[in-house]
Amino acid sequence: MKKTKLLFGMGILAVVGAVLVAADHIDAPGTTGNTADIADFYGFESPSNPENTVFIVDLQTDVLPDLAYGPFDENVLTEINIDTNDDLIEDLVIQAIPRKDTMYFFGPVIPAETGKMSEVMVGSPLGQVAISGESALTTTTEDGISLFAGPRQDAFFFDFGQFNKVIGGTAPEGFLPEGEAVDTFDGANTMALVIEIPNSILGETTAKNALGLTVYKTWVTTNRKQ
Amino acid sequence: MKIHTLKYMFLSLCAATMFVACDDDDALEMVETTCTDGIMNGTETGVDCGGTSCQPCEDGGGDADGDGDDMMVTPPDFSGTYAQVDFMGRPGINTVLSIPDFKDPYNQAVPSTIAEFYQKDFENRLEGLHDVYAELLGLNPEDVNYQPNILGDILNGPEKDGFTDNPVSAELLTTILANDVLEVAPDLPTTYFNPGTGAPNYEGAIGLTGRTLQDDVIDVSLILLFGGGDGARFNGQEVEGVGTFPRLVSDGVAITAEPTSTFPYLGAPE
């Protein structure tokens, strides 16, 4: 038995509390309950039009009582980053930022700066949509881009409670079987941004995934005004 | 000078210019419109806002109805610089592979350097989780290591016992995962991951083309991390002489939210 490996394993057993808040969906101590907390990110082919791609960004899930849920923060710029040449550096960005009752979208555009600093690409407006309440208010631009911003169900599903026991080494049985397991996110809501955009506007990509398929490599960031 | 007056003077000038040179493209270039001239011109829908080249108008409408009564709308202020607070790409990675004091700096990372900084931590974490269960089962942690997963067979054909090493080692897997970007194929249906017929040939295996709302990303992540060569290595089964293995390849829950098939796809808030 390697001593270092054993120590590492025991270390995990000792840090259950720290791990509890370190999951992706609920996030790190620095952003948990924060208006810039990203809960989730989805990207898929539109079910109604295979020529379109849909991006969904969920912010601020309310899965736990002390976690934030709305409204959108005017000082937080949400940015969908798109790498089209496989260097993992964003070639295009789509941005969303609220003002009063409206969510403004910009791009897809080559960003002024790559990496951790951003500015709103005001010269490349994409469209805007009224921020919804319980009922969804959507808009479709002349270019065929559909936009939504507002509260929606948190679609993520995960037995987070059992996960923490598993990862803490206190559940010799591992996860619970179907029927006994509990979706911690059942009934949770989140502040969602949804954009459906024609691939022709996103442009060409040469990036490949592990199976050799052509893909956009995407990720989302939130950025706070300095 | 009133905006209206200025506007009509400008329109007159435009008309005159175009009248004498309407067959000349240069004439159009002479009519330079800007987003700071205090006039609604070009494709603007309000004064210096809206249209194809200026910031959106704050009320969203500009002078859309043409009655002139809302022409003074101004663009909202989007000035300043914005610094990254949070980051997310591939789902489920941080969930399973994060380590204490890891997430805050990780949120400040960029994909092009994540593997460089965090791959080794991910790999240690993966092996560490296997050690935890070795100890719970009373086994030697050195004997319960990560085993190459089904991705290797899908990418390279079935492992030949004892002859061909499955190439998806813990190091390679965590290197792939550490890039932490969501890959979305523009020209293919979206499948997060589907192992096809399963072991040993995985006929029809598809995926890595995006992530839908219904995809069980946690189960897929767990299968790749703990499923081993057949995808069900740690699946709650009895193993003679050892005991009951933990169930680590599924968290046992399916989607409870109610996505729709039409935009915006997410269900109404509860």
Side-chain angles (χ1 to χ4, degrees):
Chain A
M1 187 188 304
K2 282 183 187 170
K3 199 173 180 185
T4 51
K5 286 183 72 178
L6 180 61
L7 285 173
F8 193 84
M10 292 173 71
I12 290 170
L13 292 171
V15 293
V16 183
V19 173
L20 186 70
V21 291
D24 196 0
H25 201 84
I26 293 180
D27 222 308
T31 49
T32 298
N34 183 313
T35 53
D37 188 7
I38 302 166
D40 236 322
F41 180 43
Y42 301 83
F44 52 91
E45 179 184 78
S46 165
S48 57
N49 184 346
E51 302 298 315
N52 291 353
T53 293
V54 179
F55 292 110
I56 296 178
V57 181
D58 288 343
L59 304 170
Q60 310 183 63
T61 183
D62 68 352
V63 63
L64 296 176
D66 59 344
L67 293 179
Y69 166 64
F72 291 114
D73 187 334
E74 293 198 1
N75 288 315
V76 173
L77 170 69
T78 302
E79 201 163 64
I80 297 169
N81 299 270
I82 302 170
D83 165 32
T84 60
N85 64 4
D86 237 346
D87 61 1
L88 298 178
I89 295 170
E90 62 271 35
D91 300 297
L92 296 170
V93 293
I94 297 172
Q95 300 175 324
I97 186 167
R99 286 289 179 272
K100 295 182 181 172
D101 302 325
T102 303
M103 185 66 71
Y104 295 89
F105 291 82
F106 301 88
V109 61
I110 300 168
E113 195 174 347
T114 61
K116 299 177 194 175
M117 300 302 290
S118 301
E119 62 184 71
V120 181
M121 303 300 287
V122 292
S124 301
L126 186 152
Q128 59 198 59
V129 65
I131 294 172
S132 293
E134 274 200 28
S135 301
L137 304 172
T138 65
T139 192
T140 302
T141 71
E142 287 176 8
D143 295 329
I145 299 159
S146 297
L147 302 170
F148 169 85
R152 292 274 104 181
Q153 283 177 24
D154 186 337
F156 189 56
F157 49 104
F158 184 30
D159 189 341
F160 187 58
Q162 190 66 16
F163 168 75
N164 284 314
K165 292 181 186 171
V166 167
I167 223 148
T170 61
E173 73 278 24
F175 287 103
L176 299 171
E178 218 173 301
E180 291 179 32
V182 176
D183 175 16
T184 312
F185 298 83
D186 188 8
N189 293 313
T190 183
M191 292 301 281
L193 299 168
V194 188
I195 177 168
E196 176 164 340
I197 186 167
N199 294 327
S200 58
I201 295 175
L202 287 174
E204 298 292 319
T205 176
T206 57
K208 305 278 187 191
N209 70 10
L211 296 173
L213 305 172
T214 300
V215 293
Y216 297 112
K217 297 202 169 180
T218 65
W219 63 98
V220 59
T221 59
T222 48
N223 310 270
R224 188 173 292 281
K225 188 170 183 179
Q226 298 302 286
Chain B
M1 187 181 297
K2 285 184 176 178
I3 293 292
H4 278 61
T5 311
L6 199 60
K7 173 191 166 193
Y8 289 125
M9 281 179 63
F10 189 78
L11 286 176
S12 301
L13 185 63
C14 293
T17 308
M18 293 182 73
F19 184 74
V20 296
C22 60
D23 60 347
D24 187 345
D25 287 343
D26 290 343
L28 290 175
E29 291 174 15
M30 288 170 61
V31 185
E32 187 177 346
T33 60
T34 78
C35 303
T36 55
D37 58 9
I39 307 166
M40 188 175 88
N41 49 14
T43 59
E44 295 169 16
T45 57
V47 176
D48 292 343
C49 64
T52 55
S53 56
C54 302
Q55 297 183 36
C57 297
E58 192 158 22
D59 70 354
D63 190 31
D65 56 5
D67 63 5
D69 64 359
D70 54 353
M71 286 177 55
M72 292 306 289
V73 290
T74 53
D77 177 15
F78 293 115
S79 63
T81 57
Y82 295 76
Q84 184 171 324
V85 177
D86 200 0
F87 157 82
M88 181 179 169
R90 204 187 298 267
I93 302 309
N94 303 337
T95 305
V96 181
L97 295 176
S98 60
I99 55 176
D101 302 323
F102 160 90
K103 272 292 286 181
D104 279 331
Y106 190 80
N107 285 338
Q108 295 296 308
V110 292
S112 55
T113 58
I114 285 174
E116 178 186 342
F117 288 118
Y118 294 105
Q119 180 275 327
K120 204 65 195 171
D121 287 339
F122 281 177
E123 187 181 340
N124 289 338
R125 172 68 160 173
L126 181 56
E127 291 292 4
L129 287 169
H130 284 77
D131 290 352
V132 169
Y133 280 94
E135 289 171 36
L136 288 173
L137 289 164
L139 301 172
N140 183 344
E142 214 160 60
D143 297 334
V144 188
N145 294 325
Y146 164 86
Q147 283 182 359
N149 66 32
I150 57 177
L151 262 185
D153 289 341
I154 292 168
L155 293 171
N156 301 287
E159 188 176 8
K160 295 177 182 61
D161 291 349
F163 297 101
T164 307
D165 286 336
N166 186 309
V168 184
S169 62
E171 181 179 4
L172 178 56
L173 178 68
T174 50
T175 299
I176 292 170
L177 298 181
N179 284 334
D180 204 356
V181 295
L182 180 65
E183 297 162 335
V184 186
D187 302 319
L188 292 167
T190 299
T191 306
Y192 186 67
F193 182 68
N194 182 336
T197 56
N201 294 318
Y202 298 98
E203 191 72 34
I206 51 173
L208 310 181
T209 55
R211 177 197 181 190
T212 71
L213 295 163
Q214 292 84 2
D215 283 322
D216 198 335
V217 299
I218 291 295
D219 279 11
V220 170
S221 302
L222 292 172
I223 288 168
L224 295 180
L225 296 166
F226 300 107
D230 64 0
R233 181 183 178 204
F234 289 104
N235 197 22
Q237 70 274 41
E238 285 283 341
V239 177
E240 200 176 334
V242 180
T244 305
F245 269 32
R247 189 182 297 103
L248 298 180
V249 292
S250 170
D251 69 346
V253 295
I255 190 166
T256 49
E258 297 167 335
T260 67
S261 59
T262 55
F263 193 86
Y265 305 108
L266 295 162
E270 298 183 31

PDB file of all heavy atoms in Angstrom, chain A residues 181-203:
ATOM      1  N   ALA A 181     -33.591   6.487  -4.189  1.00  0.00           N
ATOM      2  CA  ALA A 181     -32.794   7.693  -4.393  1.00  0.00           C
ATOM      3  C   ALA A 181     -33.710   8.913  -4.516  1.00  0.00           C
ATOM      4  O   ALA A 181     -34.868   8.798  -4.919  1.00  0.00           O
ATOM      5  CB  ALA A 181     -31.948   7.553  -5.650  1.00  0.00           C
ATOM      6  N   VAL A 182     -33.182  10.078  -4.163  1.00  0.00           N
ATOM      7  CA  VAL A 182     -33.976  11.306  -4.147  1.00  0.00           C
ATOM      8  C   VAL A 182     -33.326  12.360  -5.034  1.00  0.00           C
ATOM      9  O   VAL A 182     -32.128  12.642  -4.900  1.00  0.00           O
ATOM     10  CB  VAL A 182     -34.075  11.857  -2.697  1.00  0.00           C
ATOM     11  CG1 VAL A 182     -34.825  13.180  -2.690  1.00  0.00           C
ATOM     12  CG2 VAL A 182     -34.748  10.845  -1.789  1.00  0.00           C
ATOM     13  N   ASP A 183     -34.102  12.947  -5.944  1.00  0.00           N
ATOM     14  CA  ASP A 183     -33.590  14.048  -6.751  1.00  0.00           C
ATOM     15  C   ASP A 183     -33.617  15.327  -5.917  1.00  0.00           C
ATOM     16  O   ASP A 183     -34.665  15.915  -5.683  1.00  0.00           O
ATOM     17  CB  ASP A 183     -34.444  14.216  -8.021  1.00  0.00           C
ATOM     18  CG  ASP A 183     -34.009  15.426  -8.833  1.00  0.00           C
ATOM     19  OD1 ASP A 183     -32.887  15.934  -8.585  1.00  0.00           O
ATOM     20  OD2 ASP A 183     -34.782  15.865  -9.701  1.00  0.00           O
ATOM     21  N   THR A 184     -32.419  15.736  -5.497  1.00  0.00           N
ATOM     22  CA  THR A 184     -32.305  16.931  -4.660  1.00  0.00           C
ATOM     23  C   THR A 184     -32.853  18.166  -5.362  1.00  0.00           C
ATOM     24  O   THR A 184     -33.259  19.127  -4.712  1.00  0.00           O
ATOM     25  CB  THR A 184     -30.812  17.162  -4.308  1.00  0.00           C
ATOM     26  OG1 THR A 184     -30.261  15.936  -3.851  1.00  0.00           O
ATOM     27  CG2 THR A 184     -30.645  18.235  -3.259  1.00  0.00           C
ATOM     28  N   PHE A 185     -32.881  18.159  -6.673  1.00  0.00           N
ATOM     29  CA  PHE A 185     -33.229  19.358  -7.440  1.00  0.00           C
ATOM     30  C   PHE A 185     -34.705  19.377  -7.850  1.00  0.00           C
ATOM     31  O   PHE A 185     -35.137  20.281  -8.561  1.00  0.00           O
ATOM     32  CB  PHE A 185     -32.314  19.468  -8.668  1.00  0.00           C
ATOM     33  CG  PHE A 185     -30.870  19.607  -8.276  1.00  0.00           C
ATOM     34  CD1 PHE A 185     -30.110  18.483  -7.979  1.00  0.00           C
ATOM     35  CD2 PHE A 185     -30.287  20.854  -8.136  1.00  0.00           C
ATOM     36  CE1 PHE A 185     -28.790  18.605  -7.579  1.00  0.00           C
ATOM     37  CE2 PHE A 185     -28.970  20.983  -7.724  1.00  0.00           C
ATOM     38  CZ  PHE A 185     -28.226  19.853  -7.448  1.00  0.00           C
ATOM     39  N   ASP A 186     -35.453  18.392  -7.388  1.00  0.00           N
ATOM     40  CA  ASP A 186     -36.889  18.351  -7.677  1.00  0.00           C
ATOM     41  C   ASP A 186     -37.549  19.579  -7.045  1.00  0.00           C
ATOM     42  O   ASP A 186     -37.428  19.819  -5.846  1.00  0.00           O
ATOM     43  CB  ASP A 186     -37.482  17.059  -7.094  1.00  0.00           C
ATOM     44  CG  ASP A 186     -38.923  16.856  -7.525  1.00  0.00           C
ATOM     45  OD1 ASP A 186     -39.401  17.619  -8.389  1.00  0.00           O
ATOM     46  OD2 ASP A 186     -39.564  15.934  -7.000  1.00  0.00           O
ATOM     47  N   GLY A 187     -38.226  20.364  -7.863  1.00  0.00           N
ATOM     48  CA  GLY A 187     -38.923  21.549  -7.351  1.00  0.00           C
ATOM     49  C   GLY A 187     -38.077  22.810  -7.331  1.00  0.00           C
ATOM     50  O   GLY A 187     -38.576  23.878  -6.987  1.00  0.00           O
ATOM     51  N   ALA A 188     -36.801  22.708  -7.692  1.00  0.00           N
ATOM     52  CA  ALA A 188     -35.944  23.897  -7.692  1.00  0.00           C
ATOM     53  C   ALA A 188     -36.190  24.738  -8.943  1.00  0.00           C
ATOM     54  O   ALA A 188     -36.568  24.227  -9.993  1.00  0.00           O
ATOM     55  CB  ALA A 188     -34.480  23.476  -7.632  1.00  0.00           C
ATOM     56  N   ASN A 189     -35.978  26.028  -8.797  1.00  0.00           N
ATOM     57  CA  ASN A 189     -36.051  26.941  -9.934  1.00  0.00           C
ATOM     58  C   ASN A 189     -34.711  27.624 -10.138  1.00  0.00           C
ATOM     59  O   ASN A 189     -33.837  27.588  -9.273  1.00  0.00           O
ATOM     60  CB  ASN A 189     -37.134  28.000  -9.694  1.00  0.00           C
ATOM     61  CG  ASN A 189     -38.521  27.388  -9.684  1.00  0.00           C
ATOM     62  OD1 ASN A 189     -38.862  26.611 -10.562  1.00  0.00           O
ATOM     63  ND2 ASN A 189     -39.296  27.719  -8.669  1.00  0.00           N
ATOM     64  N   THR A 190     -34.572  28.255 -11.285  1.00  0.00           N
ATOM     65  CA  THR A 190     -33.306  28.907 -11.615  1.00  0.00           C
ATOM     66  C   THR A 190     -33.602  30.085 -12.532  1.00  0.00           C
ATOM     67  O   THR A 190     -34.678  30.152 -13.132  1.00  0.00           O
ATOM     68  CB  THR A 190     -32.369  27.888 -12.298  1.00  0.00           C
ATOM     69  OG1 THR A 190     -31.116  28.494 -12.566  1.00  0.00           O
ATOM     70  CG2 THR A 190     -32.948  27.370 -13.602  1.00  0.00           C
ATOM     71  N   MET A 191     -32.689  31.029 -12.610  1.00  0.00           N
ATOM     72  CA  MET A 191     -32.835  32.131 -13.563  1.00  0.00           C
ATOM     73  C   MET A 191     -32.172  31.703 -14.868  1.00  0.00           C
ATOM     74  O   MET A 191     -30.964  31.488 -14.908  1.00  0.00           O
ATOM     75  CB  MET A 191     -32.198  33.406 -13.025  1.00  0.00           C
ATOM     76  CG  MET A 191     -32.943  33.987 -11.825  1.00  0.00           C
ATOM     77  SD  MET A 191     -34.686  34.401 -12.163  1.00  0.00           S
ATOM     78  CE  MET A 191     -34.496  35.961 -13.019  1.00  0.00           C
ATOM     79  N   ALA A 192     -32.973  31.591 -15.930  1.00  0.00           N
ATOM     80  CA  ALA A 192     -32.484  30.989 -17.168  1.00  0.00           C
ATOM     81  C   ALA A 192     -32.334  32.008 -18.294  1.00  0.00           C
ATOM     82  O   ALA A 192     -33.120  32.956 -18.405  1.00  0.00           O
ATOM     83  CB  ALA A 192     -33.434  29.879 -17.607  1.00  0.00           C
ATOM     84  N   LEU A 193     -31.312  31.798 -19.096  1.00  0.00           N
ATOM     85  CA  LEU A 193     -31.138  32.511 -20.367  1.00  0.00           C
ATOM     86  C   LEU A 193     -31.203  31.448 -21.455  1.00  0.00           C
ATOM     87  O   LEU A 193     -30.487  30.449 -21.378  1.00  0.00           O
ATOM     88  CB  LEU A 193     -29.770  33.201 -20.429  1.00  0.00           C
ATOM     89  CG  LEU A 193     -29.488  34.259 -19.364  1.00  0.00           C
ATOM     90  CD1 LEU A 193     -28.008  34.619 -19.376  1.00  0.00           C
ATOM     91  CD2 LEU A 193     -30.340  35.487 -19.622  1.00  0.00           C
ATOM     92  N   VAL A 194     -32.071  31.634 -22.439  1.00  0.00           N
ATOM     93  CA  VAL A 194     -32.194  30.658 -23.517  1.00  0.00           C
ATOM     94  C   VAL A 194     -32.076  31.388 -24.857  1.00  0.00           C
ATOM     95  O   VAL A 194     -32.725  32.421 -25.069  1.00  0.00           O
ATOM     96  CB  VAL A 194     -33.543  29.905 -23.463  1.00  0.00           C
ATOM     97  CG1 VAL A 194     -33.544  28.757 -24.481  1.00  0.00           C
ATOM     98  CG2 VAL A 194     -33.817  29.365 -22.071  1.00  0.00           C
ATOM     99  N   ILE A 195     -31.236  30.855 -25.711  1.00  0.00           N
ATOM    100  CA  ILE A 195     -31.061  31.432 -27.044  1.00  0.00           C
ATOM    101  C   ILE A 195     -31.057  30.305 -28.067  1.00  0.00           C
ATOM    102  O   ILE A 195     -30.357  29.316 -27.895  1.00  0.00           O
ATOM    103  CB  ILE A 195     -29.784  32.296 -27.133  1.00  0.00           C
ATOM    104  CG1 ILE A 195     -29.596  32.812 -28.551  1.00  0.00           C
ATOM    105  CG2 ILE A 195     -28.552  31.540 -26.675  1.00  0.00           C
ATOM    106  CD1 ILE A 195     -28.539  33.891 -28.647  1.00  0.00           C
ATOM    107  N   GLU A 196     -31.884  30.449 -29.084  1.00  0.00           N
ATOM    108  CA  GLU A 196     -31.868  29.507 -30.207  1.00  0.00           C
ATOM    109  C   GLU A 196     -31.399  30.276 -31.433  1.00  0.00           C
ATOM    110  O   GLU A 196     -31.983  31.307 -31.787  1.00  0.00           O
ATOM    111  CB  GLU A 196     -33.266  28.911 -30.447  1.00  0.00           C
ATOM    112  CG  GLU A 196     -33.286  27.995 -31.668  1.00  0.00           C
ATOM    113  CD  GLU A 196     -34.508  27.080 -31.725  1.00  0.00           C
ATOM    114  OE1 GLU A 196     -35.148  26.867 -30.678  1.00  0.00           O
ATOM    115  OE2 GLU A 196     -34.802  26.587 -32.823  1.00  0.00           O
ATOM    116  N   ILE A 197     -30.351  29.781 -32.061  1.00  0.00           N
ATOM    117  CA  ILE A 197     -29.677  30.574 -33.094  1.00  0.00           C
ATOM    118  C   ILE A 197     -29.363  29.699 -34.316  1.00  0.00           C
ATOM    119  O   ILE A 197     -28.919  28.557 -34.168  1.00  0.00           O
ATOM    120  CB  ILE A 197     -28.396  31.223 -32.500  1.00  0.00           C
ATOM    121  CG1 ILE A 197     -27.751  32.175 -33.480  1.00  0.00           C
ATOM    122  CG2 ILE A 197     -27.413  30.162 -32.007  1.00  0.00           C
ATOM    123  CD1 ILE A 197     -26.696  33.062 -32.833  1.00  0.00           C
ATOM    124  N   PRO A 198     -29.612  30.207 -35.508  1.00  0.00           N
ATOM    125  CA  PRO A 198     -29.252  29.430 -36.706  1.00  0.00           C
ATOM    126  C   PRO A 198     -27.742  29.176 -36.759  1.00  0.00           C
ATOM    127  O   PRO A 198     -26.939  30.078 -36.481  1.00  0.00           O
ATOM    128  CB  PRO A 198     -29.684  30.342 -37.855  1.00  0.00           C
ATOM    129  CG  PRO A 198     -30.741  31.230 -37.268  1.00  0.00           C
ATOM    130  CD  PRO A 198     -30.316  31.452 -35.836  1.00  0.00           C
ATOM    131  N   ASN A 199     -27.362  27.962 -37.131  1.00  0.00           N
ATOM    132  CA  ASN A 199     -25.934  27.642 -37.231  1.00  0.00           C
ATOM    133  C   ASN A 199     -25.233  28.531 -38.249  1.00  0.00           C
ATOM    134  O   ASN A 199     -24.035  28.794 -38.141  1.00  0.00           O
ATOM    135  CB  ASN A 199     -25.758  26.170 -37.614  1.00  0.00           C
ATOM    136  CG  ASN A 199     -26.240  25.243 -36.509  1.00  0.00           C
ATOM    137  OD1 ASN A 199     -26.139  25.572 -35.339  1.00  0.00           O
ATOM    138  ND2 ASN A 199     -26.787  24.106 -36.897  1.00  0.00           N
ATOM    139  N   SER A 200     -25.999  29.007 -39.249  1.00  0.00           N
ATOM    140  CA  SER A 200     -25.388  29.869 -40.261  1.00  0.00           C
ATOM    141  C   SER A 200     -24.855  31.154 -39.632  1.00  0.00           C
ATOM    142  O   SER A 200     -23.883  31.733 -40.120  1.00  0.00           O
ATOM    143  CB  SER A 200     -26.418  30.202 -41.352  1.00  0.00           C
ATOM    144  OG  SER A 200     -27.557  30.830 -40.775  1.00  0.00           O
ATOM    145  N   ILE A 201     -25.467  31.598 -38.541  1.00  0.00           N
ATOM    146  CA  ILE A 201     -24.999  32.816 -37.858  1.00  0.00           C
ATOM    147  C   ILE A 201     -23.804  32.494 -36.964  1.00  0.00           C
ATOM    148  O   ILE A 201     -22.902  33.320 -36.801  1.00  0.00           O
ATOM    149  CB  ILE A 201     -26.153  33.444 -37.061  1.00  0.00           C
ATOM    150  CG1 ILE A 201     -27.239  33.929 -38.030  1.00  0.00           C
ATOM    151  CG2 ILE A 201     -25.662  34.592 -36.181  1.00  0.00           C
ATOM    152  CD1 ILE A 201     -28.491  34.456 -37.363  1.00  0.00           C
ATOM    153  N   LEU A 202     -23.783  31.285 -36.410  1.00  0.00           N
ATOM    154  CA  LEU A 202     -22.630  30.891 -35.590  1.00  0.00           C
ATOM    155  C   LEU A 202     -21.389  30.674 -36.452  1.00  0.00           C
ATOM    156  O   LEU A 202     -20.268  30.817 -35.985  1.00  0.00           O
ATOM    157  CB  LEU A 202     -22.943  29.605 -34.826  1.00  0.00           C
ATOM    158  CG  LEU A 202     -23.904  29.726 -33.649  1.00  0.00           C
ATOM    159  CD1 LEU A 202     -24.230  28.346 -33.084  1.00  0.00           C
ATOM    160  CD2 LEU A 202     -23.324  30.617 -32.562  1.00  0.00           C
ATOM    161  N   GLY A 203     -21.597  30.301 -37.713  1.00  0.00           N
ATOM    162  CA  GLY A 203     -20.460  30.164 -38.617  1.00  0.00           C
ATOM    163  C   GLY A 203     -19.826  28.790 -38.573  1.00  0.00           C
ATOM    164  O   GLY A 203     -20.274  27.881 -37.875  1.00  0.00           O
TER     165      GLY A 203
END
